[in-house]
Amino acid sequence: MKSIMKRILALALVIVLCVGAIPVSASAATTSLPTISTSCYIKCYPLSSTTLYTNTGLTKTYKTIDKTTCCYIVGISTSYVKVRLSTSGTTYYAKPSAFSSGTLKNKTAIATYTATTSVSTYRQKAATTSYGTIDKGDKVYLLYEPSNSEWIQVLYPINSGKQYYMGWCKTGELYTGALTVSKTSATLSAKGKTTTVTASFPSELGLTVTWTTSDSSIATVTTKSTTSSSSTATVTAKTSTNGKTATITAKFYNGTSVVAKKTMTVTVGEADTWQMPMKNATCSWGDSYTNGTWSWGGDCTTWGRDNGNGRNYHIGVDLVSSDMTVYAAASGTVKKVGNNSVNGYYVIIKHTINGKTVYSFYAHLASYSVSIDQTVTVGQEIGEAGNSGSAASGGVKHLHFAIIDSLSSGGGYYGYATYFSGNKVEFKDRIYYNPIYVITYNKLPS
């Protein structure tokens, strides 16, 4: 009998030891809050109407306050918080849940985060009047993130960390530097080519990511894999038409609410390739320019022209050749053709370079052979150089060639600006790029 009892006791001991070894679920909050006291208090507002008590057992009612009442928490325990209605007033007691649905009562936070930019805070979730500001570099304690909300409750320092504010801010604004995509642009050379992009976020936020495309006929996007802090997607080109672009968007969700959006521009076609728009071209201003600036930034008063108001510095290049045929300097789409008194016959072509849209401008043509919305490829014939427009009065037949950041609704661009230096200049609300730089390096100047 004793032997049986020993076996039973031994078996019971094993069971107890095994049960004791089973892990017990723990709160994800492992970051301790700063020590709160009468000198290091938390300024805050109740989540809604709440009762203040005069005893720690929360049985003796003092009065009810509403969510517009400014409070100062001067102590925290698991069953109550010490509350004052002024920094030096009488101490009362309230339920921790009156101020936060998170782990305030445990004196812990979900996590901490160092702010990468200034962020506005609010007394209540979804409020419209600013409460204060989290400054760049502040250590922020994350207290509570409601499901299906773009808001998060935070604790952040004021007065050099001597006191704290407890309030609400938008998750996407606080985490603007931590919600990222691995690429902001990509070029896919042909239909069927792919690239991957990863959206990342801090795991403590518990976010999910969905991917969308602005045009599925150009590029599609599908989720490839997910982790607790990232989502990776595959982007696939669906066309081989050069220069087509689509925007891939990563939406960061907390439940059903979008807290942030990040985008990537996808360009389909060969890598940006630019060439001179005339074969064996030289600069019509002379050999010294051909071997130098090609007239970019050149002062036209040196050869007898004065446009007035100091606007004498060339924001394009003037080209001539024994073969006056003009070719598309890069692949793109014709956006305007026409004739005016200054530029003469002209062609404007839209391109994408380095993920940005630019327009090449061909002026003083004798004729053009393309039409609006026509797709052209680099080196395709588009017209013939001439001396139309302002070049008609004794001007040598040549091509005025420029690259600009925006489309002229009237079809014309300035040819001269006031003095500038460098490979780009902003004039009359447009940016003009040095065409020789773009052709040489296949990129826009910085």
Side-chain angles (χ1 to χ4, degrees):
M1 184 69 176
K2 290 181 178 180
S3 177
I4 294 173
M5 289 301 295
K6 286 181 180 180
R7 290 179 182 178
I8 292 173
L9 289 173
L11 179 60
L13 179 61
V14 170
I15 292 173
V16 169
L17 290 174
C18 290
V19 171
I22 296 174
V24 179
S25 62
S27 170
T30 57
T31 301
S32 297
L33 295 180
T35 300
I36 302 304
S37 64
T38 55
S39 60
C40 184
Y41 54 76
I42 299 173
K43 182 181 178 180
C44 57
Y45 291 81
L47 298 177
S48 60
S49 295
T50 192
T51 303
L52 296 183
Y53 300 89
T54 58
N55 66 323
T56 58
L58 307 182
T59 58
K60 298 179 181 180
T61 300
Y62 167 59
K63 70 174 183 178
T64 298
I65 58 175
D66 63 25
K67 66 180 183 180
T68 65
T69 304
C70 181
C71 297
Y72 300 86
I73 295 177
V74 297
I76 303 172
S77 77
T78 55
S79 59
Y80 62 83
V81 291
K82 296 179 180 180
V83 180
R84 290 180 176 179
L85 299 181
S86 66
T87 56
S88 57
T90 302
T91 299
Y92 302 102
Y93 305 88
K95 295 178 180 178
S97 59
F99 296 92
S100 177
S101 299
T103 56
L104 177 66
K105 65 180 181 181
N106 298 326
K107 303 180 185 180
T108 57
I110 299 170
T112 59
Y113 179 69
T114 301
T116 59
T117 187
S118 296
V119 181
S120 295
T121 61
Y122 302 84
R123 297 178 184 179
Q124 307 291 341
K125 179 180 66 174
T128 56
T129 302
S130 178
Y131 171 42
T133 302
I134 298 170
D135 293 324
K136 181 179 180 180
D138 278 352
K139 181 180 180 180
V140 181
Y141 294 84
L142 313 178
L143 298 179
Y144 178 57
E145 184 187 19
S147 59
N148 304 323
S149 174
E150 61 178 322
W151 295 83
I152 191 166
Q153 190 180 39
V154 295
L155 185 73
Y156 62 97
I158 59 171
N159 195 19
S160 301
K162 295 178 181 178
Q163 288 90 35
Y164 287 84
Y165 273 5
M166 182 163 64
W168 296 81
C169 65
K170 292 186 176 182
T171 305
E173 292 180 0
L174 177 61
Y175 278 90
T176 184
L179 306 178
T180 62
V181 288
S182 58
K183 298 175 183 176
T184 57
S185 63
T187 299
L188 302 177
S189 60
K191 182 177 181 179
K193 296 293 184 179
T194 64
T195 187
T196 57
V197 57
T198 298
S200 301
F201 50 89
S203 59
E204 65 265 18
L205 293 181
L207 303 181
T208 57
V209 175
T210 62
W211 297 90
T212 59
T213 178
S214 62
D215 193 333
S216 59
S217 68
I218 297 174
T220 58
V221 59
T222 55
T223 302
K224 180 180 179 183
S225 61
T226 59
T227 70
S228 62
S229 60
S230 68
S231 173
T232 299
T234 300
V235 181
T236 305
K238 306 303 288 185
T239 179
S240 293
T241 303
N242 195 53
K244 292 290 186 179
T245 61
T247 300
I248 304 300
T249 301
K251 295 182 180 179
F252 297 78
Y253 281 87
N254 172 25
T256 58
S257 295
V258 177
V259 300
K261 297 178 184 179
K262 299 293 179 179
T263 61
M264 177 182 77
T265 300
V266 176
T267 302
V268 177
E270 296 299 324
D272 299 317
T273 301
W274 287 71
Q275 68 173 38
M276 291 292 278
M278 297 182 74
K279 294 179 180 178
N280 303 314
T282 59
C283 180
S284 65
W285 290 32
D287 290 342
S288 62
Y289 287 97
T290 301
N291 297 320
T293 65
W294 289 80
S295 74
W296 169 260
D299 182 355
C300 66
T301 62
T302 59
W303 46 267
R305 175 173 177 168
D306 188 344
N307 296 315
N309 299 318
R311 196 171 57 82
N312 294 313
Y313 298 88
H314 205 212
I315 46 180
V317 293
D318 285 345
L319 306 176
V320 293
S321 174
S322 57
D323 177 1
M324 300 300 280
T325 305
V326 175
Y327 304 91
S331 298
T333 304
V334 177
K335 300 309 292 182
K336 276 194 176 295
V337 296
N339 180 31
N340 62 50
S341 60
V342 176
N343 304 122
Y345 292 103
Y346 64 85
V347 172
I348 303 174
I349 302 175
K350 178 182 178 182
H351 313 274
T352 299
I353 180 170
N354 312 137
K356 294 183 178 180
T357 297
V358 296
Y359 297 85
S360 60
F361 180 53
Y362 311 77
H364 303 312
L365 300 175
S367 61
Y368 54 79
S369 55
V370 290
S371 57
I372 294 176
D373 291 333
Q374 179 180 340
T375 299
V376 295
T377 57
V378 60
Q380 179 177 331
E381 181 178 336
I382 62 171
E384 184 177 347
N387 58 353
S388 58
S390 60
S393 57
V396 63
K397 290 185 177 182
H398 71 284
L399 170 69
H400 173 80
F401 177 57
I403 299 175
I404 310 98
D405 72 332
S406 54
L407 179 64
S408 167
S409 59
Y413 293 101
Y414 287 96
Y416 294 87
T418 52
Y419 178 77
F420 67 92
S421 61
N423 289 306
K424 70 176 183 179
V425 58
E426 184 172 353
F427 185 69
K428 300 294 184 180
D429 298 323
R430 300 187 194 280
I431 297 176
Y432 293 76
Y433 302 99
N434 182 352
I436 302 303
Y437 181 98
V438 174
I439 291 168
T440 301
Y441 298 104
N442 279 317
K443 67 178 183 179
L444 297 177
S446 58

